[in-house]
Amino acid sequence: MKTSLPLSALLLLLVSSIAPAADQLILAGQLLDVQSGELKSNQAILVADQRIVNILPVRQLSAEQRAIPTLDLSGYTVLPGLIDMHVHLTSNPQQHGFRRLNTTPARQAIFGVTAAEVTLQAGFTTVRNVGARGFADVDLRDAIEEGEVPGPRMRVAGHSICITGGHCDNNLLPHTYASTSFGVANSPDEVRTRVRENMKYGANLIKFTATGGVLSRNTDVNASQFSLAEMQALVAEAHDRGAKVAAHAHGLHGMLRAIEAGVDSIEHASFLNDEVLAMAAERGTFLVMDIYVSDYILSEGEAAGILPESLAKERQVGQLQRENFRRAVAAGVNMAYGTDAGVYTHGQNGRQFAYMVEWGMTPLQAIQSATLHAATLLDWRNEQGQLNVGQLQPGAYADLVAVEGNPLENIRLLEAIPVVVKGGKQVN
């Protein structure tokens, strides 16, 4: 009697027949499925050309597969490489305020090499760099991709786009210097031009400032920047070119305007309210709330050059942002992990996990924010349409971290990660 295989079995056979032979084997004592929260024991990850070929129980490995060069993590809990969606790798956290006037983009790029390496060693195998002078982040990304320096995979914004006198304009010098930042734009046509310029010079992400900021001189965190028409032009131009849009926004009206304009994420979201949460939920907008950094600003910021007016703004913003983080978690809106590293010390990105748990998330939700959910916002996919990062599954990059213990029981394990793997190769 003739029988036919179900379609799923046929597809599995087809994928198995065309998948490349594995050149690396990673053994995981416990493997965390970040989608379900399930811990799977004694798993084998087969890797070829930096990507995962297959994941199966160790007992199912063939003799040929067992002979492949092996990284034995059987004493560890393994989870996907972490993602930080809001960093400034070329920013030195000891050079705030007027000190930054003395630093060139070239010098910042050199600093970025060290920041990239410590960020990778901290377990963050992918980052979104949301603003850098002189396209230093573009060059850093390219150097990492070409194997010249170690670092995480990067999506980069180049120059932040802002209004004259807004957050990310150079407001530190008097008018006699006529100093204006590269990303300044003051009309729908000008914001389109800035988007086109950024992408011409290598950006694959667009970041703009929808409100004033804590660390900028003479800006009000509650004041909106850019009209709705300007924001809509910016978002349309970026999306036409396949780039996601991140909007820096502390103040309420700037957030509402940016979400209406169609941005993909709101950064900081300090003064959100129920209307923001409802609109974000309806439109699928992500919130990226950096709720650790306030501790650094208020304890070490003055010594690092942060201006007195910025310290005063942080005292207004920090605690309220954490309370609103709790509201956002309870509302169930999309949330992704972002720390603003560069304002504070690079490589300490993992410290925010415990704060997210303290302010309303479960450990699994916090981990998901830095893996699956961050990857969904990033929307970086392979030729088969699968997410490249954020999950351990066939087709994704073999980027993972390993800890001794269960991070679902002790989230602080992610503050000091002993094993980091990028593309199947251990990097620390």
Side-chain angles (χ1 to χ4, degrees):
M1 182 176 65
K2 183 183 289 187
T3 59
S4 59
L5 290 171
L7 179 59
S8 58
L10 289 171
L11 289 173
L12 180 60
L13 287 172
L14 177 62
V15 170
S16 299
S17 67
I18 63 175
D23 55 26
Q24 176 76 14
L25 172 63
I26 301 172
L27 302 179
Q30 298 285 333
L31 185 69
L32 177 61
D33 182 334
V34 294
Q35 192 153 27
S36 67
E38 179 185 1
L39 280 170
K40 301 178 180 180
S41 299
N42 299 318
Q43 298 294 298
I45 304 168
L46 293 164
V47 179
D49 299 326
Q50 297 193 57
R51 293 184 182 269
I52 297 172
V53 174
N54 197 8
I55 300 176
L56 68 162
V58 171
R59 66 179 183 277
Q60 295 181 11
L61 288 171
S62 67
E64 182 181 35
Q65 290 169 332
R66 292 175 187 271
I68 297 171
T70 301
L71 174 60
D72 188 356
L73 301 178
S74 55
Y76 295 83
T77 299
V78 172
L79 58 153
L82 304 172
I83 305 170
D84 193 330
M85 296 294 280
H86 192 120
V87 303
H88 300 277
L89 290 183
T90 60
S91 293
N92 185 334
Q94 295 302 313
Q95 294 179 344
H96 285 288
F98 291 104
R99 295 180 188 178
R100 291 198 170 176
L101 293 175
N102 195 40
T103 307
T104 66
R107 183 65 182 85
Q108 290 179 324
I110 294 169
F111 174 83
V113 172
T114 62
E117 183 172 15
V118 298
T119 299
L120 176 61
Q121 291 178 344
F124 289 81
T125 54
T126 300
V127 301
R128 196 178 60 161
N129 204 83
V130 286
R133 292 171 55 204
F135 296 99
D137 55 352
V138 172
D139 291 329
L140 179 60
R141 175 201 64 197
D142 293 349
I144 291 169
E145 288 183 356
E146 293 173 20
E148 297 172 7
V149 297
R153 306 183 195 278
M154 296 179 65
R155 309 302 269 179
V156 302
H159 289 268
S160 295
I161 299 174
C162 62
I163 65 170
T164 296
H167 185 63
C168 292
D169 193 6
N170 184 349
N171 300 328
L172 294 171
L173 296 170
H175 75 280
T176 51
Y177 290 90
S179 178
T180 299
S181 295
F182 182 91
V184 167
N186 292 298
S187 70
D189 285 343
E190 287 186 6
V191 297
R192 287 183 180 274
T193 298
R194 294 288 91 78
V195 170
R196 293 170 183 176
E197 286 177 337
N198 273 1
M199 299 194 72
K200 171 183 178 179
Y201 296 119
N204 46 21
L205 162 73
I206 297 300
K207 188 267 190 84
F208 77 97
T209 60
T211 73
V214 170
L215 298 183
S216 52
R217 187 166 178 251
N218 293 334
T219 70
D220 181 348
V221 290
N222 278 302
S224 299
Q225 298 179 2
F226 289 116
S227 67
L228 177 60
E230 289 168 330
M231 291 187 190
Q232 288 172 327
L234 183 151
V235 171
E237 193 67 38
H239 285 176
D240 280 350
R241 281 154 179 73
K244 297 292 184 180
V245 179
H248 159 105
H250 287 282
L252 174 62
H253 297 295
M255 276 187 272
L256 291 170
R257 195 177 290 174
I259 296 172
E260 183 178 351
V263 301
D264 299 288
S265 66
I266 297 290
E267 313 297 305
H268 312 299
S270 302
F271 292 92
L272 61 79
N273 67 359
D274 289 342
E275 186 179 3
V276 168
L277 294 174
M279 187 180 290
E282 178 186 354
R283 295 174 180 245
T285 312
F286 278 80
L287 304 184
V288 181
M289 301 179 71
D290 51 330
I291 61 169
Y292 167 73
V293 68
S294 184
D295 281 14
Y296 176 87
I297 293 173
L298 295 180
S299 65
E300 302 182 48
E302 184 177 4
I306 293 179
L307 302 176
E309 70 172 86
S310 293
L311 296 173
K313 284 190 280 188
E314 184 58 40
R315 294 186 189 100
Q316 175 191 12
V317 168
Q319 181 67 17
L320 181 59
Q321 185 195 38
R322 292 174 179 179
E323 293 168 0
N324 282 333
F325 179 89
R326 188 190 298 278
R327 293 176 65 185
V329 173
V333 299
N334 292 330
M335 302 184 75
Y337 193 94
T339 66
D340 219 354
V343 172
Y344 75 99
T345 307
H346 296 285
Q348 296 179 0
N349 311 60
R351 293 188 178 187
Q352 184 167 283
F353 282 108
Y355 285 65
M356 297 171 87
V357 172
E358 179 183 353
W359 290 95
M361 283 188 170
T362 66
L364 178 60
Q365 286 175 320
I367 291 169
Q368 287 173 330
S369 77
T371 53
L372 179 61
H373 296 167
T376 300
L377 170 56
L378 206 62
D379 198 30
W380 179 29
R381 299 180 182 272
N382 62 22
E383 293 178 355
Q384 290 72 44
Q386 303 165 300
L387 291 171
N388 276 313
V389 294
Q391 293 187 85
L392 297 178
Q393 62 178 6
Y397 284 115
D399 299 346
L400 56 90
V401 298
V403 295
E404 295 182 277
N406 184 353
L408 299 179
E409 297 174 352
N410 180 9
I411 195 67
R412 288 193 178 273
L413 291 173
L414 300 181
E415 294 180 9
I417 294 174
V419 180
V420 181
V421 174
K422 179 186 173 188
K425 306 301 181 184
Q426 187 172 350
V427 298
N428 66 345

